[in-house]
């Protein structure tokens, strides 16, 4: 069942039945049939439609932000910000797609060749609830320009976002058979991937979901892109302005109520400034992040996406404390609704669950490191490898440390984030493949060699 439940109150607003197997079969046939005509349109025409979609997303920013606030509790201002990056992504691929898809000439031994860049067919997208529009955009925009067609299964708590996105894309000129939203259940995903008409899958979600989808994709020889969990480290080497460093790191951790895959979840601070940083960070979190209505622009701490999610994060915090971690602030559930106090934990050690697991909520873990080497060792001591951040005053030192971190992305003097022209993705159990930028259009591409 797909449902809209206001996480600020726990009130059920709407329920939508799952698609039947017959509906899923019809949706697969539509995107398969739509591929033959969509791919024949010129790249310029497809790019123009994607640019029009960017305009429509911008026009409907307030409406889309309000939907996200209702469905998963996103702060209204953060919702508008999310639509801003959606517009950037559609604009980027609309403007740069034709150049990114241009033939690539090769000079080879004994002659010449060319690499043509072609679509591969109908794709399945399995999308999460934490960024209901942005996650869809980074999968859909490049593949529509490339000429692939899309069958989209959104998160079960985001049906209104799913329907609004489909409506916008069709209004922009994407044919109804080139982008199809389906309210399929997770149970139906293996069957979709087993269907010969589906050529690949992109999933953003939990590690467990990624393992299941990767197994199904591998079993059926389908391409897959996985963006999974993260426990991103943020190393603070030194600072010329402690207040600004504290503000920047706290803002990054608490963004989207801590429900961001590439948020800095483990903050590693060198010994010389550790006590000052912990004091300032704890004060900032305790005083600034106050629970409130996510529809109110003044609110700084919204609910989590669901009561179940809030209960799970609260349980993780309790376990960490029971195992010996120090609670600096927060840790309590606030009701009614899916609220959890913004939380800071220190003294987390390798024998505690919290050291290795992802805590997907407004909880920051702060670690003390005696040296640069120890900071890097802590950063890399994780099953995840999505993003990382390094803060400091010496550019060369930060670059050196960045080069030693095992992750798909590293940001210097900023924490996490995303932009349309910068590739996004991780390593280890954070997934495989890249989205956004020039690399993001290549994952479901046939790079065909033609010997001239």
């Amino acid at each position: 069942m797909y449902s809209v439940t206001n996480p600020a109150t726990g009130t059920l607003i709407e329920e939508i039945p799952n698609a039947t197997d017959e509906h899923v079969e019809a949706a697969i046939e539509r995107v398969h049939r739509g591929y033959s005509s969509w791919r024949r349109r010129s790249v310029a025409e497809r790019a123009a439609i994607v640019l029009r979609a960017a305009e429509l997303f911008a026009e409907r920013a307030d409406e889309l932000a309000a939907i996200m606030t209702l469905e998963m509790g996103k702060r209204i201002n953060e919702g508008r910000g999310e639509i801003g990056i959606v517009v950037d992504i559609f604009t980027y691929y609309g403007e740069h797609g034709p150049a990114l898809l241009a033939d690539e000439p090769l000079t080879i031994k004994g002659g010449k060749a060319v690499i043509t860049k072609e679509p591969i067919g109908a794709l399945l997208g399995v999308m999460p609830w934490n960024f209901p529009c942005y996650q869809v955009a980074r999968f859909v925009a490049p593949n529509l320009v490339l000429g692939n067609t899309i069958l989209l299964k959104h998160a079960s708590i985001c049906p209104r976002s799913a329907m609004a996105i489909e409506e916008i894309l069709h209004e922009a000129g994407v044919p109804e058979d080139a982008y199809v939203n389906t309210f399929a259940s997770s149970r139906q995903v293996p069957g979709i991937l087993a269907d010969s008409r589906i050529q690949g899958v992109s999933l953003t979600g939990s590690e467990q979901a990624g393992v299941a989808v990767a197994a199904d994709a591998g079993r059926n020889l389908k391409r897959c892109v996985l963006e999974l969990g993260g426990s991103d480290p943020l190393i603070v080497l030194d600072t010329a302005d402690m207040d600004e460093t504290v503000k920047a790191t706290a803002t990054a951790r608490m963004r989207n109520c801590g429900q961001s895959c590439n948020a800095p979840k483990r903050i590693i601070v060198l010994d010389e400034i550790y006590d000052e940083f912990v004091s300032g960070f704890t004060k900032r979190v305790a005083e600034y992040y106050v629970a409130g209505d996510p529809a109110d622009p003044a609110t700084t701490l919204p609910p989590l996406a669901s009561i179940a999610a809030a209960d799970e994060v609260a349980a993780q915090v309790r376990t960490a404390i029971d195992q010996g971690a120090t609670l600096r602030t927060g840790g309590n559930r606030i009701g009614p609704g899916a609220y959890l106090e913004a939380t800071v934990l220190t003294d987390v050690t390798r024998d505690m669950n919290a050291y290795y697991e992802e805590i997907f909520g407004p909880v920051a873990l702060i670690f003390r490191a005696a040296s640069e080497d120890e900071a890097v060792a802590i950063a890399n001591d994780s099953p995840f490898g999505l993003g990382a951040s390094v803060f400091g005053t010496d550019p060369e030192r930060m670059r050196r440390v960045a080069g030693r971190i095992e992750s798909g992305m590293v940001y210097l003097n900023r924490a996490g984030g995303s932009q349309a022209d910068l590739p996004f993705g991780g390593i280890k159990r954070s997934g495989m493949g890249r989205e956004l930028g020039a690399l993001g259009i290549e994952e479901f591409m046939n790079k065909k060699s033609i010997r001239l």
Side-chain angles (χ1 to χ4, degrees), residues 8 24 36 52 88 90 129 133 191-192 203 229 246 263 275 284 287 290 301 304 360 420:
V24 171
S36 62
R52 177 56 183 153
D88 288 345
F90 276 89
W129 46 259
C133 294
I192 297 173
L203 175 137
V246 163
D275 291 332
R284 171 79 180 178
E287 295 180 356
V290 179
L301 183 68
L304 281 84
F360 211 60

mmCIF file of all heavy atoms in Angstrom, residues 8 24 36 52 88 90 129 133 191-192 203 229 246 263 275 284 287 290 301 304 360 420:
data_model
loop_
_atom_site.group_PDB
_atom_site.id
_atom_site.type_symbol
_atom_site.label_atom_id
_atom_site.label_comp_id
_atom_site.label_asym_id
_atom_site.label_seq_id
_atom_site.Cartn_x
_atom_site.Cartn_y
_atom_site.Cartn_z
ATOM 1 N N ALA A 8 4.517 14.878 10.989
ATOM 2 C CA ALA A 8 4.467 15.841 12.089
ATOM 3 C C ALA A 8 3.371 15.504 13.086
ATOM 4 O O ALA A 8 3.454 15.873 14.262
ATOM 5 C CB ALA A 8 4.258 17.251 11.542
ATOM 6 N N VAL A 24 1.415 -3.763 -13.665
ATOM 7 C CA VAL A 24 2.866 -3.724 -13.829
ATOM 8 C C VAL A 24 3.256 -4.244 -15.199
ATOM 9 O O VAL A 24 4.115 -3.663 -15.889
ATOM 10 C CB VAL A 24 3.562 -4.524 -12.710
ATOM 11 C CG1 VAL A 24 5.055 -4.672 -13.001
ATOM 12 C CG2 VAL A 24 3.359 -3.848 -11.354
ATOM 13 N N SER A 36 11.172 2.482 -28.707
ATOM 14 C CA SER A 36 11.477 2.447 -30.142
ATOM 15 C C SER A 36 11.241 3.793 -30.809
ATOM 16 O O SER A 36 11.967 4.172 -31.744
ATOM 17 C CB SER A 36 10.646 1.362 -30.832
ATOM 18 O OG SER A 36 9.262 1.651 -30.705
ATOM 19 N N ARG A 52 12.507 22.080 -21.007
ATOM 20 C CA ARG A 52 11.156 22.528 -20.672
ATOM 21 C C ARG A 52 10.726 21.969 -19.318
ATOM 22 O O ARG A 52 10.064 22.660 -18.538
ATOM 23 C CB ARG A 52 10.189 22.078 -21.765
ATOM 24 C CG ARG A 52 8.719 22.430 -21.498
ATOM 25 C CD ARG A 52 8.516 23.917 -21.253
ATOM 26 N NE ARG A 52 7.123 24.212 -20.926
ATOM 27 C CZ ARG A 52 6.739 25.244 -20.197
ATOM 28 N NH1 ARG A 52 7.644 26.095 -19.710
ATOM 29 N NH2 ARG A 52 5.465 25.437 -19.946
ATOM 30 N N ASP A 88 18.403 22.626 -11.695
ATOM 31 C CA ASP A 88 19.790 22.648 -12.177
ATOM 32 C C ASP A 88 20.130 21.373 -12.955
ATOM 33 O O ASP A 88 20.821 21.424 -13.977
ATOM 34 C CB ASP A 88 20.757 22.797 -11.000
ATOM 35 C CG ASP A 88 20.736 24.182 -10.383
ATOM 36 O OD1 ASP A 88 20.197 25.118 -11.018
ATOM 37 O OD2 ASP A 88 21.263 24.336 -9.264
ATOM 38 N N PHE A 90 18.059 19.164 -14.568
ATOM 39 C CA PHE A 90 17.389 19.110 -15.868
ATOM 40 C C PHE A 90 17.989 20.141 -16.828
ATOM 41 O O PHE A 90 18.130 19.875 -18.027
ATOM 42 C CB PHE A 90 15.884 19.315 -15.695
ATOM 43 C CG PHE A 90 15.139 18.057 -15.340
ATOM 44 C CD1 PHE A 90 14.978 17.677 -14.016
ATOM 45 C CD2 PHE A 90 14.624 17.237 -16.328
ATOM 46 C CE1 PHE A 90 14.304 16.506 -13.690
ATOM 47 C CE2 PHE A 90 13.947 16.063 -16.016
ATOM 48 C CZ PHE A 90 13.796 15.692 -14.688
ATOM 49 N N TRP A 129 12.628 7.985 -0.268
ATOM 50 C CA TRP A 129 11.742 9.039 0.213
ATOM 51 C C TRP A 129 12.477 10.277 0.707
ATOM 52 O O TRP A 129 11.865 11.317 0.901
ATOM 53 C CB TRP A 129 10.868 8.508 1.364
ATOM 54 C CG TRP A 129 11.626 7.730 2.398
ATOM 55 C CD1 TRP A 129 11.680 6.375 2.514
ATOM 56 C CD2 TRP A 129 12.453 8.246 3.453
ATOM 57 N NE1 TRP A 129 12.483 6.017 3.572
ATOM 58 C CE2 TRP A 129 12.959 7.148 4.169
ATOM 59 C CE3 TRP A 129 12.803 9.538 3.862
ATOM 60 C CZ2 TRP A 129 13.814 7.290 5.270
ATOM 61 C CZ3 TRP A 129 13.651 9.695 4.956
ATOM 62 C CH2 TRP A 129 14.149 8.575 5.651
ATOM 63 N N CYS A 133 12.185 14.383 -5.047
ATOM 64 C CA CYS A 133 12.300 14.924 -6.412
ATOM 65 C C CYS A 133 13.735 14.883 -6.923
ATOM 66 O O CYS A 133 13.983 14.540 -8.083
ATOM 67 C CB CYS A 133 11.766 16.356 -6.450
ATOM 68 S SG CYS A 133 9.990 16.482 -6.143
ATOM 69 N N GLY A 191 10.445 -9.517 -10.361
ATOM 70 C CA GLY A 191 9.806 -9.895 -11.619
ATOM 71 C C GLY A 191 10.046 -8.881 -12.714
ATOM 72 O O GLY A 191 10.219 -9.244 -13.886
ATOM 73 N N ILE A 192 10.053 -7.600 -12.350
ATOM 74 C CA ILE A 192 10.331 -6.555 -13.335
ATOM 75 C C ILE A 192 11.743 -6.717 -13.879
ATOM 76 O O ILE A 192 11.985 -6.631 -15.090
ATOM 77 C CB ILE A 192 10.135 -5.159 -12.711
ATOM 78 C CG1 ILE A 192 8.670 -4.961 -12.284
ATOM 79 C CG2 ILE A 192 10.548 -4.066 -13.700
ATOM 80 C CD1 ILE A 192 8.438 -3.675 -11.496
ATOM 81 N N LEU A 203 18.911 2.146 -8.342
ATOM 82 C CA LEU A 203 18.291 2.180 -7.027
ATOM 83 C C LEU A 203 19.055 3.111 -6.104
ATOM 84 O O LEU A 203 20.286 3.059 -6.025
ATOM 85 C CB LEU A 203 18.242 0.783 -6.410
ATOM 86 C CG LEU A 203 17.706 0.731 -4.963
ATOM 87 C CD1 LEU A 203 16.756 -0.440 -4.773
ATOM 88 C CD2 LEU A 203 18.851 0.629 -3.935
ATOM 89 N N GLY A 229 23.703 3.320 1.463
ATOM 90 C CA GLY A 229 23.935 4.056 2.693
ATOM 91 C C GLY A 229 25.307 4.712 2.747
ATOM 92 O O GLY A 229 26.174 4.470 1.915
ATOM 93 N N VAL A 246 31.993 25.136 13.361
ATOM 94 C CA VAL A 246 30.912 24.476 14.099
ATOM 95 C C VAL A 246 29.583 24.656 13.365
ATOM 96 O O VAL A 246 28.812 23.704 13.185
ATOM 97 C CB VAL A 246 30.826 25.028 15.537
ATOM 98 C CG1 VAL A 246 29.482 24.685 16.164
ATOM 99 C CG2 VAL A 246 31.956 24.475 16.379
ATOM 100 N N ALA A 263 25.471 12.942 4.225
ATOM 101 C CA ALA A 263 25.707 13.886 5.320
ATOM 102 C C ALA A 263 26.912 13.410 6.135
ATOM 103 O O ALA A 263 27.178 12.208 6.220
ATOM 104 C CB ALA A 263 24.472 13.975 6.212
ATOM 105 N N ASP A 275 38.194 19.544 22.367
ATOM 106 C CA ASP A 275 37.326 19.994 23.458
ATOM 107 C C ASP A 275 36.565 21.255 23.084
ATOM 108 O O ASP A 275 35.364 21.374 23.358
ATOM 109 C CB ASP A 275 38.144 20.228 24.726
ATOM 110 C CG ASP A 275 38.683 18.934 25.325
ATOM 111 O OD1 ASP A 275 38.038 17.882 25.123
ATOM 112 O OD2 ASP A 275 39.751 18.969 25.968
ATOM 113 N N ARG A 284 25.585 24.551 19.897
ATOM 114 C CA ARG A 284 24.873 24.911 18.670
ATOM 115 C C ARG A 284 23.692 23.969 18.448
ATOM 116 O O ARG A 284 22.568 24.417 18.155
ATOM 117 C CB ARG A 284 25.840 24.842 17.484
ATOM 118 C CG ARG A 284 25.195 24.970 16.097
ATOM 119 C CD ARG A 284 24.876 26.382 15.761
ATOM 120 N NE ARG A 284 24.269 26.490 14.433
ATOM 121 C CZ ARG A 284 23.851 27.623 13.903
ATOM 122 N NH1 ARG A 284 23.979 28.753 14.576
ATOM 123 N NH2 ARG A 284 23.312 27.662 12.701
ATOM 124 N N GLU A 287 20.831 24.428 21.184
ATOM 125 C CA GLU A 287 20.106 25.692 21.217
ATOM 126 C C GLU A 287 19.422 26.034 19.901
ATOM 127 O O GLU A 287 18.354 26.658 19.896
ATOM 128 C CB GLU A 287 21.071 26.836 21.606
ATOM 129 C CG GLU A 287 21.618 26.710 23.021
ATOM 130 C CD GLU A 287 22.569 27.849 23.374
ATOM 131 O OE1 GLU A 287 22.851 28.699 22.484
ATOM 132 O OE2 GLU A 287 23.047 27.872 24.522
ATOM 133 N N VAL A 290 15.425 23.222 17.220
ATOM 134 C CA VAL A 290 14.241 23.093 18.061
ATOM 135 C C VAL A 290 13.103 22.547 17.203
ATOM 136 O O VAL A 290 12.823 23.059 16.119
ATOM 137 C CB VAL A 290 13.850 24.453 18.673
ATOM 138 C CG1 VAL A 290 12.605 24.310 19.540
ATOM 139 C CG2 VAL A 290 15.013 25.024 19.485
ATOM 140 N N LEU A 301 14.101 22.147 13.274
ATOM 141 C CA LEU A 301 14.160 20.700 13.398
ATOM 142 C C LEU A 301 12.795 20.110 13.062
ATOM 143 O O LEU A 301 11.862 20.161 13.863
ATOM 144 C CB LEU A 301 14.565 20.279 14.812
ATOM 145 C CG LEU A 301 14.735 18.765 15.026
ATOM 146 C CD1 LEU A 301 15.945 18.249 14.247
ATOM 147 C CD2 LEU A 301 14.873 18.432 16.507
ATOM 148 N N LEU A 304 11.243 13.318 11.577
ATOM 149 C CA LEU A 304 11.770 12.355 10.622
ATOM 150 C C LEU A 304 10.645 11.940 9.678
ATOM 151 O O LEU A 304 9.501 12.346 9.848
ATOM 152 C CB LEU A 304 12.364 11.147 11.342
ATOM 153 C CG LEU A 304 13.779 11.381 11.912
ATOM 154 C CD1 LEU A 304 13.709 12.039 13.279
ATOM 155 C CD2 LEU A 304 14.557 10.068 12.012
ATOM 156 N N PHE A 360 20.489 7.201 10.543
ATOM 157 C CA PHE A 360 19.821 8.036 9.545
ATOM 158 C C PHE A 360 18.829 8.976 10.233
ATOM 159 O O PHE A 360 17.615 8.813 10.151
ATOM 160 C CB PHE A 360 19.109 7.142 8.527
ATOM 161 C CG PHE A 360 19.027 7.737 7.146
ATOM 162 C CD1 PHE A 360 20.168 8.057 6.444
ATOM 163 C CD2 PHE A 360 17.802 7.956 6.531
ATOM 164 C CE1 PHE A 360 20.102 8.583 5.154
ATOM 165 C CE2 PHE A 360 17.714 8.482 5.253
ATOM 166 C CZ PHE A 360 18.866 8.805 4.569
ATOM 167 N N ALA A 420 24.749 19.685 -10.096
ATOM 168 C CA ALA A 420 24.412 18.983 -11.336
ATOM 169 C C ALA A 420 25.626 18.540 -12.137
ATOM 170 O O ALA A 420 25.599 17.481 -12.771
ATOM 171 C CB ALA A 420 23.522 19.873 -12.201
#
